[in-house]
Amino acid sequence: MAILRVARIGHPVLRQVAAPVPPDQLASASIQALIEDMLETVEEYDGAGLAAPQVHRSVRIVVLRLRSDEDLRVWVNPVLTPTSERLSVTMEGCLSVPGMRGAVARPAEVRVEALERDGSPVALLLSGFPAVVAQHECDHLDGIVYIDRVLPRSLGYVEEHRRYGSPLVRGELGSDLQGEEE
Ligand code: NI
């Protein structure tokens, strides 16, 4: 077990499309060790989730906590499908963009299909914060970072948002946007 170094934006690994994990390699010592290290790393950094490219491994694995009272989940080769045309706006942050937050509009509901770390398939319908975390983490597998999707004028430092209120709370993004704080 090890706490891994998190890549920050500017590192090319965050921009690669990650490779699927061949199901027959999922039980291998190297993949299981990577999963263990990702779980340890996301706990250490107190993140809501972490994708393998963020720890310099370009494979399709994410670990994430959908609800604060739940254990971390592991999804291998996740596929997300939006199931609603409604968008919801949330202030997001990312361990690869330390100290910053910005508002992102995403589909309010998604269906997730993935493998768990033991290879068993899982299918879930998510809404609210879990849908946001799922989309944010799975975006990393396609080389997409939330700041690519951030609403104009919403990006700021966590400390300033705390001091002056986030742009969502201040209503600076337009009254048509319904938002919530993460
Ligand atoms: Ni992230």
Side-chain angles (χ1 to χ4, degrees), residues 77-100:
N77 301 339
V79 176
L80 260 60
T81 312
T83 54
S84 168
E85 290 185 8
R86 191 166 58 86
L87 298 178
S88 74
V89 179
T90 310
M91 292 299 293
E92 296 187 23
C94 181
L95 295 177
S96 295
V97 192
M100 303 204 82

Side-chain angles (χ1 to χ4, degrees), residues 91-117:
M91 292 299 293
E92 296 187 23
C94 181
L95 295 177
S96 295
V97 192
M100 303 204 82
R101 286 285 173 96
V104 182
R106 299 184 184 271
E109 289 181 8
V110 291
R111 179 180 164 80
V112 182
E113 292 174 80
L115 299 177
E116 296 188 309
R117 65 182 297 183

